[in-house]
Amino acid sequence: NGPKGKLMVQGPRILVFAHDASLYGAAQSLLTLLTEIKKDNFAEILVILPHRGKMEEALSAEEINYKIIAVPRCFTWDHSKHIFQKLKHILKYKKSVWAKLPQLNAIIKDFKPNLIYSNTSIISIGSALAKQNNLPHVWHVREFGDLDYNFEYLPTRSKVIKQMRGSQHVIFVSKGLREHWYGNATGNSSVIYNGLVKENKTYPEKEYPSHGFRFGILGAIVPGKGQEVAIRAIAILAKIYPSVMLYLYGNLVDKEYHKKLQQLISDLKCGDNVVFKGFEEDQDLIYSNLDVLLNCSVMEGFGRTVIEAMQRGIPVVANASGGPLEIITHKE
């Protein structure tokens, strides 16, 4: 920070809109990208976080500048067919956008970015700001949106696609994802798989137990992540192998879904075989507790956990959809 709190920067400057301040896959991939950019002295970075969270701590640790501004996200989970309810969501979103524009334009005036970058499809305000200030905009799309998280885009999905096509470039993290958003068109887009930093360490070779296999599924507790499928599968296995375990790592985002899972566990009588572990930051701790990783997502945009598990020599069983189809060679 310079005099009167103004940012003093040199060289290329990137204004980054983060969709979330938690550290799930899309946010972790963004953090990896920003950390490597800073390490290479490629550009000055200023991140706009929508709220406080683990991402804030991680950015501070990497000495990456950020500001917390509650920018609106262009989706709702409310799929009400009532026209007045839809209009209410749209008007609330547009009102929130207009309310934040003066503050964000002041940041642009101070920071003087050369590029605006938006992480995931649910942040569209960066595109609007870029157009307003005649700046290039890059969009990084990491999810299907409707098929995986059941998002209803505001004002509509087609409007978001139009904004994407109006950006200088759109990065999709898998071929299946680009096809879902762009169809057969490829203009102003690239497919770039999420990268993981190659670590200078070796992981111990797994010694699989003769019984008591530990399966794990990582991700927020939401329907799109498919925890229900994993529980049903483990209930079947437990009848043959009573000591088998399923660990569910992730925050309880959808409380109603969590209640449904708890009832399912009770109905299937597999309570001794399923453990909700909550969110865990230490990846080595998570994977050291697993023998097999499950990815049961209905549609997975990429599948960062698939790569993380493979990196440690842990086999993966995944739903044949989206990113895993491009990452996994079946039965290898």
Side-chain angles (χ1 to χ4, degrees), residues 127-171:
S127 170
L129 275 169
K131 187 175 181 181
Q132 191 178 87
N133 289 276
N134 196 29
L135 290 167
H137 178 256
V138 171
W139 217 322
H140 210 147
V141 180
R142 304 177 185 274
E143 62 288 304
F144 291 92
D146 49 356
L147 299 182
D148 45 9
Y149 293 104
N150 203 30
F151 294 154
E152 182 163 316
Y153 287 89
L154 300 171
T156 63
R157 185 172 179 274
S158 60
K159 289 279 188 182
V160 174
I161 294 174
K162 186 177 179 181
Q163 282 184 283
M164 286 182 186
R165 291 191 181 279
S167 295
Q168 272 57 49
H169 208 75
V170 182
I171 301 168

Side-chain angles (χ1 to χ4, degrees), residues 8-268:
M8 308 296 287
V9 298
Q10 294 178 334
R13 296 169 296 278
I14 304 174
L15 182 63
V16 174
F17 282 90
H19 71 298
D20 194 15
S22 64
L23 277 179
Y24 286 108
Q28 284 187 13
S29 292
L30 173 61
L31 181 62
T32 300
L33 178 63
L34 298 180
T35 302
E36 292 304 301
I37 286 174
K38 185 176 185 296
K39 195 180 295 181
D40 292 340
N41 294 314
F42 175 74
E44 290 284 344
I45 302 165
L46 175 61
V47 181
I48 305 298
L49 288 177
H51 53 82
R52 296 192 178 279
K54 295 291 183 182
M55 185 68 153
E56 181 185 5
E57 297 173 21
L59 291 174
S60 295
E62 295 294 337
E63 298 183 338
I64 295 173
N65 291 322
Y66 66 90
K67 288 183 179 291
I68 297 173
I69 302 174
V71 295
R73 304 194 290 185
C74 60
F75 83 96
T76 177
W77 272 305
D78 183 1
H79 288 259
S80 171
K81 293 182 180 179
H82 199 290
I83 186 64
F84 292 110
Q85 188 67 14
K86 286 181 178 288
L87 284 172
K88 181 181 175 182
H89 288 309
I90 293 169
L91 289 173
K92 184 179 179 182
Y93 169 68
K94 289 192 172 184
K95 182 181 178 182
S96 184
V97 168
W98 280 106
K100 297 301 176 186
L101 284 177
Q103 188 178 4
L104 293 170
N105 276 314
I107 288 174
I108 287 176
K109 186 178 178 181
D110 278 354
F111 184 59
K112 295 180 176 60
N114 306 105
L115 172 72
I116 294 179
Y117 166 102
S118 299
N119 193 51
T120 82
S121 64
I122 62 174
I123 290 290
S124 63
I125 197 168
S127 170
L129 275 169
K131 187 175 181 181
Q132 191 178 87
N133 289 276
N134 196 29
L135 290 167
H137 178 256
V138 171
W139 217 322
H140 210 147
V141 180
R142 304 177 185 274
E143 62 288 304
F144 291 92
D146 49 356
L147 299 182
D148 45 9
Y149 293 104
N150 203 30
F151 294 154
E152 182 163 316
Y153 287 89
L154 300 171
T156 63
R157 185 172 179 274
S158 60
K159 289 279 188 182
V160 174
I161 294 174
K162 186 177 179 181
Q163 282 184 283
M164 286 182 186
R165 291 191 181 279
S167 295
Q168 272 57 49
H169 208 75
V170 182
I171 301 168
F172 296 98
V173 297
S174 65
K175 295 173 186 175
L177 206 56
R178 178 162 71 175
E179 185 178 340
H180 178 70
W181 282 96
Y182 268 26
N184 294 325
T186 58
N188 86 315
S189 70
S190 299
V191 173
I192 303 175
Y193 295 120
N194 289 331
L196 269 69
V197 176
K198 187 176 181 180
E199 299 175 337
N200 293 320
K201 62 179 180 180
T202 57
Y203 297 99
E205 188 173 338
K206 298 291 289 186
E207 293 183 6
Y208 294 105
S210 57
H211 65 283
F213 258 73
R214 300 162 300 174
F215 292 83
I217 182 168
L218 281 65
I221 309 299
V222 294
K225 289 298 181 183
Q227 286 92 352
E228 180 181 346
V229 175
I231 290 168
R232 290 186 183 278
I234 219 70
I236 294 170
L237 278 177
K239 292 176 181 178
I240 308 168
Y241 308 105
S243 57
V244 72
M245 294 298 298
L246 172 64
Y247 298 139
L248 303 174
Y249 287 95
N251 285 333
L252 308 180
V253 174
D254 188 326
K255 293 181 181 178
E256 287 303 312
Y257 182 58
H258 179 230
K259 287 180 183 177
K260 180 182 176 181
L261 295 181
Q262 287 181 313
Q263 185 59 54
L264 180 65
I265 291 167
S266 176
D267 292 344
L268 296 176

